[in-house]
Amino acid sequence: MTIRTGKGGRYRYYACLMKARRGPTACEGMAVPMESWTILSSITLRISYFSLSGWKPFLPLYSTAGRNMQGAAASISPS
């Protein structure tokens, strides 16, 4: 995706880069208004990452990393 503008920068869109470079036969994708994309992506992030179910796959990684850091800190002897 790349940023495209229309009407002298008045309208901003995300469009397929291949379509922008090679023409309409390179990609069947449509241009998406930037404001619509921003709203859609922020809603998706809120649902996916700010809910507990979105973080569940990552929780074991954090607890393992935390234990490793605590073990490393305990093995350092004070000078």
Side-chain angles (χ1 to χ4, degrees):
M1 299 295 281
T2 186
I3 296 174
R4 304 284 295 184
T5 60
K7 299 274 186 176
R10 185 174 176 189
Y11 299 104
R12 297 177 60 152
Y13 301 92
Y14 285 110
C16 176
L17 181 61
M18 296 299 291
K19 187 173 186 175
R21 288 187 178 175
R22 297 185 183 168
T25 58
C27 176
E28 295 180 8
M30 297 174 47
V32 179
M34 189 178 281
E35 183 178 350
S36 298
W37 183 260
T38 303
I39 292 168
L40 178 63
S41 61
S42 66
I43 290 170
T44 302
L45 282 172
R46 286 180 192 155
I47 291 170
S48 299
Y49 297 107
F50 297 126
S51 67
L52 181 58
S53 61
W55 283 100
K56 280 184 182 178
F58 300 103
L59 292 176
L61 299 174
Y62 287 118
S63 63
T64 303
R67 283 194 300 270
N68 290 342
M69 289 176 63
Q70 288 173 353
S75 67
I76 298 173
S77 60
S79 304

